Amino acid sequence: MNTIIKLLFIGLFAIPICSFGQTNSQDLAKINTEGFQNSQVMSLIADLSDVYAPRLTGTDQYLAAAEWVKQTMNSWGMDEAYFENYCDDCMGWEVKSFNVEMVAPAYMKIQAYPYAWTESSNGVQEGELVWIEPSPDLDHVKNKWTGKLKGKTVLIGSAPDQNMLFDALSTRLTEEAIAEAERSIHPAPDNPLGPSAGNVDLIEDLEIIFEQFMQKDDAFFAFLKAEGALAIFGTTPLFPGIVHPSGTYNFRESDEKPIPYFAISPENFGKLSRLTKREKTPKIKFHLDSELYLKPENNVNVLAEITGSDPKLKDEVVMIGAHFDSWHPASGATDNGAGSAVMMEAMRIIKASGLKPKRTIRMALWGGEEQGYVGSLAYAENHFGKVKETARKKEVEKISAYLNMDNGAGQMRGIYLQGNEAVKPVFEEMLAPYEHLDVNHLTIQNTNMTDHDVFDYYNIPGFQIIQDRLNYMTVTHHTNLDALEYVPERDMMINATVIAALVYQIAEREGMMPRKD
């Protein structure tokens, strides 16, 4: 075989034998070069977590972060970057200063962080601790404790079990778990990948969740306030020493605000409960200086667009998104600065690559997701039609798909298809060029409890990304450790580049993405 024939033979088999649909392989090469060799994603997440954090719904910090995103998107040459307000009565809440100590029977600095939207203490307070163990019957609690709580600090909940930390705090999804999910034939089995799976009715189930979970303790908090208790301590069994102040949802202007309420570490809770059981009554000294305020202008979704280049298709839209708000005890790096930075970087990659997608690509960073999809629901009602009504606006028909990222900073491993069988071969083809990165696993399963649920409710193809768990649910989710140190660079680069490639291919398709009906 002569040299020229040898070179042609080698060159032929060096080209991947796969179809890119309507997308030229050179376009994907441009995306890969920009995403992997010129990445800015870690710079973005560093700004979000170190400079513009925390981003609690309704706060001045949230608005400052949103302004930074809009300015950044404009600097990259997006065709539009703008705000849409989503709430007129979502209140801001900020901590100015706090301290919690046990001063008797011996001194102990208590690892604590206040829950959001709780009242200030009006200076330093000091009082004995009592422990109210869980009871499903509020009347039983009232019968036992009425007249006994004035000037007391109240420990509530169960003492956490011991934890020797034999299990790994950080894990990646196993091949067995992914294979089990891929074999699923029903959207709502037991989910081997971790997040909840089910057939969720967005409106009815969300109302039940708020009533039975998010606001289940409101009557109890009102009783403590009426009895003159000074403060409340609770915990979540996250070891070692993790503080998890996720649990107050009194963010509306009309909501009754609890007395000062602190999450404390499970180890501190254990000691306080043991002392109380032995009648070695702890004495607690604390203060909380916090501020509640209402500024409706802070409550904005952040949107940015690359306008489609095809005159016939540019009115059709491919959307990507993540929630932008975070809880307050840390910097919101994994929840959900990581998802927000990935979506910003995906937009930058497409723009910087010089690509001109046929359809419009729109990024949305949502506010108020932690309070029950407040931002994305407001957007949907404004653009798609009212919930609980059958009438729909024409814009519903113009959204080809919505891709969401909100399960931490772990690497993308695939896509939850949300029961949509028709999109499976489409995603298989689009992800084929990235098989070597192990991001191409598809499961028919649903996953719930983030903003893609809103789009699915309106029968828009809405999808959540499967991600490696890392330490999302064991260390960082809504805790004082949600920091940049738990965001791996390679995972973030892969996520942003693959999302950019996916959304660009969807925008280039001859037709819209297929819907369930």
Side-chain angles (χ1 to χ4, degrees):
M1 187 181 293
N2 65 40
T3 303
I4 294 177
I5 294 176
K6 283 183 180 178
L7 291 172
L8 288 172
F9 185 84
I10 293 169
L12 174 65
F13 285 94
I15 300 171
I17 308 300
C18 61
S19 168
F20 296 110
Q22 288 81 35
T23 304
N24 187 300
S25 61
Q26 290 302 308
D27 291 346
L28 295 187
K30 291 177 182 178
I31 287 173
N32 295 345
T33 299
E34 189 61 37
F36 294 137
Q37 298 183 32
N38 302 317
S39 176
Q40 294 185 25
V41 71
M42 291 308 291
S43 175
L44 295 172
I45 184 63
D47 280 340
L48 278 176
S49 61
D50 290 344
V51 181
Y52 297 101
R55 301 174 302 279
L56 186 69
T57 294
T59 59
D60 293 337
Q61 297 105 306
Y62 178 95
L63 182 62
E67 294 279 9
W68 170 79
V69 172
K70 186 167 72 169
Q71 180 181 353
T72 301
M73 302 305 283
N74 280 326
S75 73
W76 291 338
M78 297 298 152
D79 296 302
E80 279 193 272
Y82 56 98
F83 293 158
E84 290 189 9
N85 282 77
Y86 65 82
C87 186
D88 292 330
D89 64 344
C90 295
M91 298 195 71
W93 179 88
E94 296 179 19
V95 176
K96 305 296 184 182
S97 174
F98 75 93
N99 188 52
V100 184
E101 304 165 297
M102 181 179 75
V103 294
Y107 180 83
M108 178 177 71
K109 175 71 172 179
I110 295 176
Q111 294 172 283
Y113 213 94
Y115 287 90
W117 296 291
T118 63
E119 295 179 340
S120 292
S121 64
N122 298 315
V124 176
Q125 303 290 338
E126 191 170 315
E128 292 182 344
L129 184 79
V130 297
W131 181 19
I132 299 181
E133 297 186 64
S135 172
D137 186 358
L138 181 58
D139 288 336
H140 172 77
V141 173
K142 289 182 177 180
N143 290 337
K144 183 176 180 180
W145 290 101
T146 295
K148 301 176 182 178
L149 297 176
K150 187 174 180 60
K152 306 291 187 184
T153 300
V154 179
L155 191 68
I156 62 171
S158 300
D161 294 331
Q162 286 186 331
N163 187 331
M164 294 298 103
L165 297 175
F166 294 130
D167 296 330
L169 287 178
S170 186
T171 58
R172 293 194 183 272
L173 294 175
T174 65
E175 292 182 5
E176 293 77 12
I178 291 174
E180 183 182 345
E182 288 180 315
R183 288 193 298 268
S184 293
I185 59 175
H186 190 272
D190 291 333
N191 191 338
L193 302 183
S196 58
N199 292 319
V200 172
D201 183 289
L202 177 72
I203 305 305
E204 292 183 6
D205 289 349
L206 195 61
E207 291 174 352
I208 291 171
I209 288 168
F210 255 86
E211 181 179 339
Q212 295 185 0
F213 172 67
M214 294 180 175
Q215 295 178 327
K216 63 181 175 63
D217 293 324
D218 281 5
F220 175 65
F221 293 153
F223 167 69
L224 297 183
K225 179 184 285 190
E227 288 295 304
L230 296 178
I232 313 167
F233 290 173
T235 197
T236 303
L238 290 176
F239 292 86
I242 297 171
V243 179
H244 185 256
S246 172
T248 45
Y249 294 84
N250 305 68
F251 62 95
R252 300 281 184 183
E253 184 181 20
S254 59
D255 291 339
E256 183 69 25
K257 306 301 183 288
I259 61 176
Y261 183 17
F262 295 91
I264 66 175
S265 74
E267 294 88 347
N268 286 168
F269 190 104
K271 181 173 181 176
L272 292 174
S273 62
R274 290 191 297 271
L275 287 171
T276 304
K277 267 190 172 181
R278 297 178 62 187
E279 298 183 353
K280 306 289 186 181
T281 304
K283 183 176 287 187
I284 304 298
K285 181 181 179 181
F286 73 94
H287 83 268
L288 170 60
D289 181 7
S290 60
E291 180 183 7
L292 276 161
Y293 53 83
L294 178 63
K295 295 183 180 179
E297 64 272 19
N298 289 353
N299 301 317
V300 293
N301 295 319
V302 190
L303 297 109
E305 294 185 3
I306 300 172
T307 304
S309 61
D310 188 311
K312 294 182 179 179
L313 298 179
K314 67 179 182 180
D315 289 339
E316 297 176 359
V317 179
V318 186
M319 291 189 68
I320 58 175
H323 77 81
F324 194 57
D325 62 311
S326 71
W327 282 108
H328 57 292
S331 60
T334 69
D335 188 25
N336 189 22
S340 297
V342 161
M343 295 310 178
M344 291 177 68
E345 172 72 351
M347 296 290 280
R348 188 200 66 80
I349 289 170
I350 294 169
K351 194 70 177 178
S353 299
L355 301 175
K356 299 186 182 301
K358 294 177 181 178
R359 291 177 177 83
T360 294
I361 297 175
R362 179 180 300 150
M363 179 198 75
L365 302 183
W366 310 112
E369 187 270 351
E370 299 290 7
Q371 289 70 53
Y373 318 151
V374 181
S376 55
L377 264 175
Y379 178 90
E381 288 208 300
N382 185 36
H383 291 268
F384 306 149
K386 299 295 183 182
V387 300
K388 297 186 178 180
E389 295 180 6
T390 57
R392 292 288 178 258
K393 298 181 180 181
K394 283 291 184 182
E395 192 172 342
V396 169
E397 302 169 8
K398 296 292 185 180
I399 309 298
S400 181
Y402 172 74
L403 301 178
N404 192 77
M405 183 164 277
D406 177 23
N407 280 146
Q411 182 188 305
M412 174 180 176
R413 302 296 296 277
I415 303 173
Y416 292 99
L417 300 181
Q418 210 70 18
N420 188 341
E421 290 277 7
V423 298
K424 185 175 183 181
V426 180
F427 280 133
E428 285 176 338
E429 183 176 18
M430 290 179 176
L431 289 172
Y434 298 96
E435 183 177 3
H436 63 291
L437 297 177
D438 199 22
V439 297
N440 60 328
H441 303 285
L442 305 173
T443 176
I444 199 64
Q445 292 176 358
N446 301 341
T447 188
N448 310 127
M449 302 309 295
T450 191
D451 293 294
H452 76 288
D453 283 341
V454 173
F455 289 81
D456 189 55
Y457 174 83
Y458 285 86
N459 198 31
I460 294 167
F463 309 102
Q464 171 73 359
I465 305 300
I466 300 169
Q467 292 177 258
D468 276 328
R469 299 168 184 167
L470 302 184
N471 36 45
Y472 186 56
M473 296 307 296
T474 55
V475 174
T476 68
H477 183 253
H478 296 185
T479 76
N480 62 321
L481 296 181
D482 190 359
L484 187 61
E485 283 72 14
Y486 296 97
V487 178
E489 181 175 12
R490 187 177 190 274
D491 292 33
M492 292 286 285
M493 291 171 64
I494 289 172
N495 293 349
T497 305
V498 175
I499 291 294
L502 268 179
V503 69
Y504 179 72
Q505 290 180 87
I506 295 171
E508 289 289 286
R509 291 188 79 240
E510 183 176 332
M512 300 244 294
M513 291 290 278
R515 305 197 173 201
K516 282 192 261 192
D517 294 340

